[in-house]
Amino acid sequence: MPRVIVDCAIYQDGCRTEGPADFSDALDQARLTGGSFLWIGLHEPTEKEFELVTSEFGLHPLAVEDALTAHQRPKLEIYDDSLFLVLKPVQYEEKAGTVTAGELMVFVGDSFVVTVRHGEANPLSTVRERLEETPDVLQHGPTAVMYAVADAVVDHYLDVADALHEDLDGLETEVFAPDGGGGQNTAGRIYAFKREVLEFRRATGPLAEPMTRLAGAGVPFVHEGSRPFFRDVSDHLTRVNEHVEGLDRLLSDILSAHLAQMGVRQNDDMRKISAWAAMAAVPTLIAGIYGMNFTHMWELRQPWGYPAALGLMAGVIALLYRMFKRRGWL
């Protein structure tokens, strides 16, 4: 268990207090002391490592299965003895242009909070420190931790959305450049960017409903004073989702514009090829006729026949070139 336990502490009246090293004894102490709760943080526990936590805290087996399996959508589950919240913190690697989502599960009971983290995205490193600096928030009990974790995740969503929008501006500039990003697999880059936005959307979209429920009445284990904080998180999440919707629509428009540009460019290329082919057909036709070697052909025995044929070729080609140039084909 020491391998997976990130931190374990008892909080009384909003302040961190010294408690037993064993979390089972610490839980008993928190339950016996009024206004106290235990917060234990775990990182990628195995089923065997999580068995003791499950039995001591009385966690629901379905929630435990979700916490161990991971790969869950953001959701809020209400059980008899606890709440179970699933969050998906994200990281954006600007150099690689990839969005990576982790998973964060929060169990909240009458006198305990258990956080289970999967993946490298870790918003909890500073959450505990910030909460310990604001005891008036921690006084709201275990739901204060749930609020702070959700707030940290959603605030980072805003940062990721801004970074994505900044990179999208660069991609948009490239697409609408004079060359339209030709020869650089621009369509593939747009599609790849769209996939990253979709990955981001999978983390932000489903979280709206749990935040709305936590901000309302009727959810057990939620302190009355915590609801305004959850409403604030819900408002921020709404902004994030609107931002993501805008990114997705803008990407679709950019992709459509790029494909239209490619179609226009291909039409221009086909017109140029057709124009050059038409000009090449004239000397081919005339040379082909004179190459049939008939005895009785016009101008075969004329001294000016050969230059006249060359002049005819040059004249027709010049006429075609001028006509195609005037029409914008060349």
Side-chain angles (χ1 to χ4, degrees), residues 61 68 78 113 188 220 251 284 286 295:
L68 292 173
I78 302 176
V113 179
L251 273 170
T284 302
I286 297 175
T295 301

Side-chain angles (χ1 to χ4, degrees), residues 4 6 39-45 50 63 66-77 83-90 100-108 113-128 130-131 145-154 156-157 203 207 210-211 214:
V4 299
V6 179
W39 180 5
I40 177 173
L42 306 175
H43 179 235
E44 297 184 352
F50 205 55
D66 290 343
L68 292 173
T69 305
H71 304 292
Q72 304 294 318
R73 297 174 75 246
K75 62 180 181 178
L76 175 67
E77 298 287 353
L83 293 178
F84 177 59
L85 177 66
V86 179
L87 302 163
K88 293 183 76 70
V90 298
T100 305
E103 290 199 29
L104 183 58
M105 289 78 171
V106 183
F107 294 88
V108 171
V113 179
V114 178
T115 55
V116 182
R117 179 169 60 89
H118 293 267
E120 297 302 321
N122 179 21
L124 299 180
S125 58
T126 59
V127 168
R128 192 182 289 260
R130 291 206 310 266
L131 275 176
V145 177
M146 180 180 282
Y147 148 73
V149 171
D151 184 58
V153 170
V154 173
H156 190 60
Y157 285 165
L207 187 58
M211 290 298 105
L214 288 169

Side-chain angles (χ1 to χ4, degrees), residues 282-301:
V282 173
T284 302
L285 174 64
I286 297 175
I289 292 174
Y290 276 86
M292 289 188 291
N293 297 323
F294 288 106
T295 301
H296 302 287
M297 287 187 67
W298 182 61
E299 296 177 345
L300 279 179
R301 298 186 182 277

Side-chain angles (χ1 to χ4, degrees), residues 9-54:
I10 297 176
Y11 295 88
Q12 182 175 5
D13 296 326
C15 298
R16 182 169 181 150
T17 62
E18 294 296 330
D22 183 78
F23 71 84
S24 300
D25 297 334
L27 178 60
D28 293 337
Q29 178 176 324
R31 283 173 170 167
L32 291 173
T33 306
S36 299
F37 69 92
L38 173 68
W39 180 5
I40 177 173
L42 306 175
H43 179 235
E44 297 184 352
T46 63
E47 182 177 356
K48 185 176 180 180
E49 291 168 336
F50 205 55
E51 283 180 357
L52 183 58
V53 177
T54 303

Side-chain angles (χ1 to χ4, degrees), residues 169-193:
D169 287 342
L171 185 59
E172 184 180 16
T173 301
E174 177 182 325
V175 168
F176 291 103
D179 62 349
Q184 300 179 15
N185 193 24
T186 304
R189 291 179 57 200
I190 296 173
Y191 184 71
F193 201 102

